[in-house]
Amino acid sequence: NVKAGKTRIKFTYSINSKGKIKGIKINSAKGAMNSRESYKYLQSFTSKTQFEPLLINDKATKIVDIVGEHIAYTGKYEDIDKNMSVNQGIWRN
């Protein structure tokens, strides 16, 4: 139920010792979504993301305070080329 548009989301997160993304924190959200909507958006597609555990000296280690940025497009999908004029020189029989 988010309005259509584009949102630039800046966030931090961690990867635990099992390789799962945890602790997503929204630093800023500018555009169609607010911070809460941006958090839900990121949470929804990272919930099933998993990495191989990082092994240091054969011990699984977590990675903390990773900085990320994502541009999210929300709303109904439309063909971006639908309003482009046809180049008659391209299609010839």
Side-chain angles (χ1 to χ4, degrees):
N1 295 336
V2 177
K3 67 180 180 178
K6 179 171 105 172
T7 307
R8 171 173 271 149
I9 309 167
K10 294 182 181 182
F11 59 100
T12 57
Y13 64 101
S14 298
I15 300 174
N16 69 14
S17 60
K18 295 179 181 178
K20 294 288 289 174
I21 295 175
K22 297 291 180 184
I24 297 172
K25 180 183 173 215
I26 305 299
N27 299 325
S28 70
K30 295 181 181 176
M33 291 188 284
N34 62 31
S35 292
R36 180 175 165 78
E37 293 165 333
S38 296
Y39 173 80
K40 286 182 173 183
Y41 174 88
L42 290 175
Q43 187 69 32
S44 71
F45 74 80
T46 61
S47 63
K48 295 187 182 197
T49 301
Q50 187 162 352
F51 298 96
E52 289 290 324
L54 173 64
L55 299 176
I56 298 178
N57 296 328
D58 293 326
K59 182 180 175 188
T61 307
K62 64 182 176 179
I63 305 170
V64 296
D65 296 328
I66 303 167
V67 177
E69 184 173 333
H70 180 74
I71 297 177
Y73 294 91
T74 52
K76 183 180 172 186
Y77 173 78
E78 291 186 26
D79 183 1
I80 60 172
D81 294 325
K82 76 176 187 176
N83 295 322
M84 298 287 290
S85 60
V86 177
N87 184 343
Q88 296 296 327
I90 294 176
W91 303 102
R92 292 183 187 219
N93 291 334

